[in-house]
Amino acid sequence: MTERVPGWPVEFQQRYRAAGYWQGRTFDRILADLADRHRDDVALIGGGPIADAERITYGELLTRSRRVAVGLRELGIGAGDVVLLQLPNRIEFVVTWFGLQHLGAVPVHAQPGHRHRELSQLAATTSAVAYVTTDVHQRFDHRGLARQVADLVGSVRHIIVVGELGEYAADDRFVTYRSVADAPEPAAPLHAGAASDLALLLLSGGTTGTPKLIPRTHDDYFYNSRAAGARCGLTAQTVYLAVLPIAFNFTWNCPGILGTLAVGGRVVLAESPDPAQCFALIERERVTYTAINPQLVPAWLDEYARGTADISSLEVLEIGSARLADPMARRIVTELDVTLQQILGMSEGLFCATYLDDDVETVCTTQGAPVSAADEIRVVDEHGTEVGTGEVGELTVRGAYTPRGYYAAAEHNKTAFTADGFYRTGDQVRRLASGHLIVVGRIKDQINRAGEKIAPAEVEGALAAHPAIESVAMVGEPDPRLGERSVVYLVVRGETVPTRRELAAFLGRAGLAAGKAPDTVRVIETMPLTPLGKIDKKALRAGGPAS
Ligand code: AMP
């Protein structure tokens, strides 16, 4: 496509269009068509207390998002402009997302925990022109953060706040979402973009010092919605509960919110993954399908055992984003009256899921099979040679919804993708004869902490600036609660040994998300090195040298 957004080779584009995977529809048109078909059906339900839980229909979602688009256009936002979106699980996220689609503008799905370092890097990489955020959420004032980001990156001219401006009203970069959403409805479509255009930018879990962005087009992302929705059995009768953060690809499109809307279903937004709140929403809204990560499973099982709510409407529980231990999968199948659906998904594209009618053994021990006939899977050894069925190798993939490169990262793309366009996932899997994959490990330098990915290189880079630290390395260790916890090994310069809390505060001041602070800090005499002089993380993972 462009230098910043690597596209698929022409013969692949033709193939995907001819097969009907790519339908040539942009998300603004897709929403307009859905509103034609389901105008008065409820599309979205806010998760607040029942008295003020907002419900909006497909018709209202279209109207509201078109009005937001006009309001954004009045601020000077237009086609190709990039906008950071950092909102909790609220209807405004969905309305703004579609509002941007009406203009051909591009949302960046910032994560809820991101702070000024991540956000300013994202803004600088994309020359973002605006930042949509909330006032105060979970006792954190996002307006102050937004101002910091806009001070650091001059391209960010507008900060749109869902809520009150308070003292920030004096800063003319700030406007309320309310004022943007109050704009009149336009008479005609606002933009006629191509379906091969960039529709959104997702965050990669990453392995590098700075966060990488994944460019997704209308064509590929909508195919992702449909293919995932079909495998997960979504229909117009589906009531989907969004539990995890809305910006995650898992929640948004696997099949998630877009997958549900694509078939005319209903989406309920939970403000928190707390099982008591979620169970109450399941009961109240007769939720049929929901998705959580393995770390939430024990609390959900406990809540179910307490019998506090009637969740008999729930048909399918989808679990992914980290490895679900087989025994835990068996507990779900035995203790809950639902169909378990395991998935292996990634913002980089590929989505695998078990079939709803798979036998119990397959559901409890595999992470599913790819959802598209166009997903080309190669499980390879360290030389790139395919391994046999059932053997362990790295999962690599190419397909109609797996982009061919990261955004504006030409150099990194040379190693993250093979010469013939396969994405190297860094995940170690075994592929069964049935096509189902079993995740057995990881070769990428990444920590999967409660489903949230940490790139050690990013944290190490930030900690290297600490005056007491001579050398630092971060690795993951198994943890019963988090799946993996982050452990920082330090060689210190003098007598002072920084504590875990001090390091967390140091990283916080450097502007990193709180979830990236180490869970454990260990001080060692010398860093173990490989024969090539690099830090030997294998040795550290194996317990590290004696301190
Ligand atoms: P993200 O893009 O944040 O969803 O992260 C994608 C990565 O999460 C994958 O490449 C895997 O490393 C990991 N992941 C997702 N689902 C699973 C799963 N079911 N089992 C193990 N790892 C998973």
Side-chain angles (χ1 to χ4, degrees):
M1 266 180 286
T2 64
E3 243 172 68
R4 320 210 94 202
V5 183
W8 282 260
V10 175
E11 69 270 25
F12 284 87
Q13 296 181 25
Q14 288 165 345
R15 194 187 299 171
Y16 297 153
R17 284 197 189 101
Y21 302 135
W22 291 2
Q23 295 186 336
R25 299 164 71 199
T26 50
F27 277 105
D28 54 323
R29 296 308 315 156
I30 291 163
L31 179 62
D33 292 345
L34 285 167
D36 274 348
R37 245 176 302 143
H38 305 282
R39 184 153 302 272
D40 298 322
D41 297 338
V42 172
L44 291 168
I45 301 166
I50 189 149
D52 42 59
E54 204 181 353
R55 289 159 193 272
I56 69 170
T57 63
Y58 279 84
E60 285 163 341
L61 175 57
L62 178 65
T63 308
R64 285 198 199 183
S65 58
R66 281 163 53 75
R67 292 178 65 181
V68 161
V70 171
L72 294 170
R73 191 179 58 179
E74 280 165 11
L75 294 176
I77 297 169
D81 283 339
V82 174
V83 174
L84 303 182
L85 199 48
Q86 190 186 36
L87 288 174
N89 291 11
R90 296 236 188 104
I91 286 176
E92 288 86 350
F93 183 104
V94 189
V95 173
T96 306
W97 194 89
F98 279 108
L100 293 166
Q101 302 301 334
H102 292 305
L103 294 172
V106 180
V108 175
H109 283 217
Q111 302 197 351
H114 277 162
R115 293 296 175 256
H116 71 257
R117 184 175 161 119
E118 291 103 355
L119 290 161
S120 58
Q121 283 168 342
L122 295 174
T125 308
T126 59
S127 305
V129 299
Y131 179 4
V132 183
T133 188
T134 181
D135 48 9
V136 178
H137 182 61
Q138 293 177 342
R139 288 179 294 163
F140 180 80
D141 191 332
H142 283 264
R143 297 163 301 189
L145 171 62
R147 180 158 68 187
Q148 213 176 350
V149 173
D151 285 346
L152 286 165
V153 186
S155 63
V156 180
R157 295 189 305 271
H158 305 289
I159 298 162
I160 299 150
V161 178
V162 175
E164 303 306 323
L165 296 188
E167 60 180 283
Y168 298 89
D171 183 332
D172 60 12
R173 292 171 296 187
F174 279 80
V175 291
T176 61
Y177 172 85
R178 232 178 0 258
S179 66
V180 171
D182 258 353
E185 199 186 349
L190 295 160
H191 173 72
S196 54
D197 288 347
L198 186 60
L200 68 156
L201 287 162
L202 293 173
L203 265 289
S204 157
T207 54
T208 54
T210 48
K212 292 280 173 291
L213 288 154
I214 304 154
R216 306 292 301 259
T217 63
H218 299 266
D219 265 334
D220 94 72
Y221 209 55
F222 186 47
Y223 177 48
N224 191 148
S225 324
R226 294 180 344 260
R231 172 65 60 84
C232 299
L234 302 195
T235 68
Q237 276 66 53
T238 297
V239 183
Y240 173 84
L241 178 67
V243 173
L244 296 170
I246 193 164
F248 288 1
N249 185 49
F250 186 24
T251 319
W252 189 242
N253 202 31
C254 288
I257 294 169
L258 289 187
T260 304
L261 296 178
V263 293
R266 214 177 249 216
V267 171
V268 183
L269 302 172
E271 283 179 347
S272 131
D274 172 67
Q277 284 185 37
C278 289
F279 276 43
L281 284 172
I282 294 172
E283 178 176 78
R284 186 181 96 195
E285 304 296 341
R286 308 300 297 154
V287 168
T288 63
Y289 192 104
T290 192
I292 59 175
N293 61 29
Q295 283 62 48
L296 287 171
V297 170
W300 276 51
L301 289 174
D302 288 350
E303 188 68 26
Y304 184 74
R306 272 198 287 278
T308 47
D310 169 12
I311 65 159
S312 56
S313 59
L314 190 64
E315 293 164 9
V316 182
L317 180 61
E318 181 194 23
I319 301 200
S321 103
R323 181 67 155 91
L324 178 66
D326 296 359
M328 200 49 98
R330 292 189 205 284
R331 276 193 61 192
I332 295 170
V333 168
T334 328
E335 294 174 31
L336 294 184
D337 190 16
V338 296
T339 300
L340 167 65
Q341 185 159 40
Q342 287 211 53
I343 68 113
L344 164 63
M346 50 200 77
S347 309
E348 282 84 354
L350 179 67
F351 181 66
C352 302
T354 50
Y355 294 83
L356 295 177
D357 59 358
D358 270 338
D359 58 76
V360 170
E361 189 59 23
T362 306
V363 164
C364 290
T365 58
T366 81
Q367 283 63 58
V371 293
S372 167
D375 288 324
E376 299 174 66
I377 302 286
R378 275 193 208 152
V379 181
V380 299
D381 66 15
E382 65 273 28
H383 308 295
T385 310
E386 263 190 273
V387 302
T389 303
E391 284 175 30
V392 174
E394 182 186 6
L395 171 63
T396 68
V397 58
R398 165 171 101 165
Y401 61 98
T402 301
R404 294 300 184 99
Y406 291 103
Y407 176 86
E411 217 29 57
H412 180 63
N413 289 338
K414 289 183 190 158
T415 50
F417 292 78
T418 64
D420 52 356
F422 280 74
Y423 166 56
R424 298 186 215 261
T425 66
D427 294 316
Q428 281 180 311
V429 299
R430 294 198 294 119
R431 183 166 45 162
L432 308 182
S434 62
H436 289 75
L437 301 175
I438 298 175
V439 181
V440 298
R442 193 182 318 129
I443 51 171
K444 55 189 166 190
D445 193 9
Q446 189 179 77
I447 299 170
N448 191 337
R449 184 182 185 273
E452 302 221 20
K453 317 302 181 305
I454 301 172
E458 188 184 10
V459 181
E460 291 159 358
L463 286 179
H466 192 289
I469 295 177
E470 169 136 346
S471 167
V472 50
M474 191 184 214
V475 297
E477 258 182 21
D479 181 273
R481 194 172 56 86
L482 300 166
E484 268 182 297
R485 75 173 161 271
S486 58
V487 180
V488 151
Y489 285 91
L490 297 179
V491 176
V492 292
R493 278 187 210 287
E495 297 300 305
T496 352
V497 175
T499 63
R500 197 190 70 80
R501 281 180 76 171
E502 279 162 12
L503 292 186
F506 181 80
L507 290 171
R509 283 194 298 279
L512 265 76
K516 293 177 185 171
D519 296 304
T520 304
V521 176
R522 294 194 189 124
V523 175
I524 51 180
E525 289 287 318
T526 50
M527 245 340 137
L529 298 179
T530 65
L532 293 175
K534 286 172 77 176
I535 292 180
D536 187 350
K537 289 203 166 176
K538 242 188 193 158
L540 291 174
R541 276 186 214 103
S547 56

